[in-house]
Structure formats: C-alpha cells, structure tokens
C-alpha cells in the first residue's frame, strides 16, 4: 500500500486495510455455505441449472459527501456543490442462476462523474490550499447473493407471492479525486473498496399472466464485526412484462447508499454516498 506522498496523494490506511480484511472474511463462509447448500440441493432434487441474464440502461445520479476532520475542524467535499451530482446514462447487469429452490444472484452497476469548484482544507490525508479544483468520482456497486425460499405455503394461484431470504456480500468501490487546476501537483485521492456482508428480502408477485412486480431490500446487519463503522442499504423495485416464455422487458428504480466512518492517515473521515437509478432493460432465460 502506497505511503503518503508529498504531492498530497491520500491513500487511506485504516479504512482500506481493515475493511478489506474484515469484509473478505465473509467470502470463505459464503463459499462453504454455497458448496454445502449446492451439494444438498443437487443430491435431493437433481434439477438442471436455469440461467437468466439481465441488461439495462439506467439514468443514475450520485449524491453525498466526504468529510475529513483535522484538530476538530471538518472539511467537506459535497458532490452537489461541485456539480458532480448530475444524472448520466450507465449500464446495469444482473445474472440469476436457479438450482432447485435455491437461487444465486450477481449484479453490478456504477457511474463516473466530473465536476469542479473552489476548495480549501483537508481531504483524506492531504491538506489542500485555497484554489480551484477539478473533481472526479467513481461509484460502483457489486453484489453476490444467495436467495433461500422462506418457510411457509408455496406460491399458488390464490397466493402467488414468492418470498426469499437474501444473504451474501456487497462490494462498493468508490474513488474521489481533487486536483488543482493551477498546480496539478496539489491533489488528493481517496480510493476505497468496501466489502460488507449483507442480509435482505426479495419478493416476486405476479399481477397477471404476463406482468410481475419484483422488489428487493438488503442491508448490513453486523457493522460491529468491522474495525470501522459501516452502513450499507439497498432498495430496488421492478415491474416486468413477459411477452414470451424466454424474453422479459422491465422498468425499475433503485437506491444504493453506503456510509463509512473511520480514519485516513490518522484523520477522522466520513464517507456518505448514495446512488439513485431509474432503469429500463430486457432479460433472457437461457
């Protein structure tokens, strides 16, 4: 990991090192559960894998701020004030794999924005002089989850609701850079990968033979297992139309928020960002 450099590059030590170590502990556990559940399902049901792929165009807008404190004085970089909270087009992808009653899910979406404004103060491990700065931001969310049917009556014509418990890992990648427009050597960059174990619920409700409503909500239930404070909440809803057995068209909305409180170069730092999306896309069942 890079040390703090004289040109004000800020590479947070505590957040990045401890966050990755704590978060990645969830991967072996998830792998073991996946293998055991997969073996159990395979030996009991012997179904083939059903794969469904989703791709969508999304209008996405980031918002939030990063605050660094030095000697009790906070310095805030607000995306909206720097003109970096405007919406833009991006792509979102999702894969679902069904094996018996068990479902595996992976999705990924991200956005990059630019802005600019006047700033003076602290960002990460750097102290920046009063100047005009260019701002670059990247925010990417990836989730790997398993969906377990909740115990209860199976979906029927009179009660078609399919309700599932979600468990998995969320990876939020975020990068923010401020660089002086008059002296490019004055800059600071925060580059974080925040892995968090998540739980949640997913529901599917057919409202007609060709129309469905899907909703999912995930959150971080065990922030105390990490060495820094973390909040990660994600909510999503979609309405879909199935004109054929294999093809589906959908329209949806999603909100992903992540909050990380810790230290960078010994300075208290709070990252509080959100990503809001409106999407339209298609899916195909292989």
């Amino acid at each position: 990991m890079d040390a703090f450099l004289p040109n004000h590059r800020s590479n947070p030590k505590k957040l990045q090192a401890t966050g990755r170590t704590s978060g990645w502990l969830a991967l072996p556990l998830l792998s073991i559960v996946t293998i055991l559940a997969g073996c159990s399902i395979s030996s009991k049901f012997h179904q083939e894998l059903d794969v469904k792929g989703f791709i969508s165009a999304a209008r996405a807008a980031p918002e939030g701020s990063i605050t660094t404190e030095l000697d009790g004085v906070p310095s805030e970089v607000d995306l909206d004030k720097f003109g970096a909270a405007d919406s833009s087009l991006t792509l979102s992808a999702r894969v679902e794999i069904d094996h018996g009653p068990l479902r595996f899910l992976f999705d990924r979406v991200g956005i990059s924005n630019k802005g600019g404004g006047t700033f003076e103060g602290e960002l990460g491990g750097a102290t920046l002089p009063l100047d005009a700065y260019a701002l670059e931001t990247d925010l990417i969310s990836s989730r790997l989850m398993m969906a377990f049917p909740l115990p209860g009556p199976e979906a029927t014509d009179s009660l078609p609701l399919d309700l599932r418990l979600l468990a998995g890992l969320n990876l939020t990648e975020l990068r923010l850079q401020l660089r002086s427009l008059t002296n490019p050597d004055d800059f600071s960059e925060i580059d974080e990968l925040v892995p968090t174990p998540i739980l949640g619920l997913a529901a599917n409700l057919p409202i007609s033979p060709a129309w469905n409503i899907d909703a999912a909500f995930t959150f971080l239930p065990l922030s105390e297992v990490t060495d820094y404070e973390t909040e990660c909440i994600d909510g999503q809803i979609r309405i879909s139309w199935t004109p054929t057995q294999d093809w589906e068209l959908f329209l949806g909305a999603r909100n992903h928020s992540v909050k990380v409180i810790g230290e960078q170069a010994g300075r208290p730092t709070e990252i509080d960002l959100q990503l809001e999306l409106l999407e339209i896309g298609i899916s195909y069942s292989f």
Side-chain angles (χ1 to χ4, degrees):
M1 187 172 296
D2 299 336
F4 175 60
L5 301 178
N7 61 3
H8 300 311
R9 177 178 177 85
S10 172
N11 201 339
K13 292 184 178 181
K14 182 176 180 182
L15 283 178
Q16 206 165 34
T18 60
R20 291 185 179 183
T21 302
S22 302
W24 286 109
L25 290 177
L27 279 178
L29 296 177
L30 182 62
S31 301
I32 293 172
V33 171
T34 303
I35 293 172
L36 293 177
C39 292
S40 174
I41 297 297
S42 178
S43 62
K44 185 176 181 180
F45 293 95
H46 300 288
Q47 286 99 342
E48 296 181 358
L49 294 179
D50 295 322
V51 181
K52 191 174 185 179
F54 301 74
I55 186 74
S56 66
R59 194 75 183 176
E63 62 179 48
S65 63
I66 296 181
T67 303
T68 304
E69 186 176 311
L70 180 64
D71 298 330
V73 179
S75 299
E76 182 185 61
V77 177
D78 187 286
L79 299 188
D80 186 51
K81 293 180 181 178
F82 274 81
D86 296 335
S87 63
S88 60
L89 288 176
T90 188
L91 291 177
S92 174
R94 178 185 179 101
V95 176
E96 294 182 358
I97 302 175
D98 285 357
H99 189 275
L102 191 63
R103 177 173 296 164
F104 301 87
L105 307 97
F106 173 78
D107 61 32
R108 181 178 176 88
V109 65
I111 187 174
S112 297
N113 265 19
K114 294 182 179 181
T118 302
F119 181 79
E120 179 184 18
E122 320 302 320
L123 178 63
T127 300
L128 299 176
L130 177 63
D131 205 345
Y133 290 86
L135 174 68
E136 295 182 4
T137 63
D138 297 306
L139 180 60
I140 302 172
S141 170
S142 304
R143 293 184 298 180
L144 177 62
M145 298 179 290
M146 298 170 64
F148 303 88
L150 289 176
E154 295 185 359
T156 62
D157 292 339
S158 60
L159 184 63
L161 179 65
D162 179 16
L163 192 61
R164 294 173 179 264
L165 174 67
L166 298 173
L169 183 69
N170 181 94
L171 294 174
T172 299
E173 304 170 53
L174 53 93
R175 185 184 73 89
L176 184 145
Q177 183 191 85
L178 276 182
R179 186 178 293 272
S180 170
L181 295 176
T182 58
N183 182 13
D185 288 336
D186 288 337
F187 76 97
S188 181
E189 182 177 86
I190 292 176
D191 192 354
E192 279 295 330
L193 175 64
V194 184
T196 51
I198 53 175
L199 288 177
L201 291 174
N204 174 272
L205 178 64
I207 54 178
S208 78
W211 291 87
N212 289 272
I213 295 178
D214 291 279
F217 175 79
T218 61
F219 66 101
L220 170 66
L222 298 173
S223 59
E224 67 270 11
V225 303
T226 62
D227 293 331
Y228 55 87
E229 296 182 29
T230 306
E231 294 179 8
C232 184
I233 300 175
D234 193 294
Q236 177 178 314
I237 186 169
R238 286 176 175 172
I239 183 169
S240 59
W241 174 56
T242 309
T244 69
Q245 183 177 357
D246 297 328
W247 289 97
E248 180 183 74
L249 302 176
F250 62 86
L251 177 69
R254 180 179 174 186
N255 181 283
H256 175 82
S257 66
V258 59
K259 185 175 183 179
V260 182
I261 302 175
E263 291 185 353
Q264 297 190 21
R267 302 176 180 184
T269 300
E270 179 179 312
I271 301 171
D272 188 0
L273 297 175
Q274 293 186 44
L275 182 61
E276 298 179 345
L277 299 98
L278 290 174
E279 59 178 348
I280 181 170
I282 60 174
S283 68
Y284 180 75
S285 298
F286 296 90

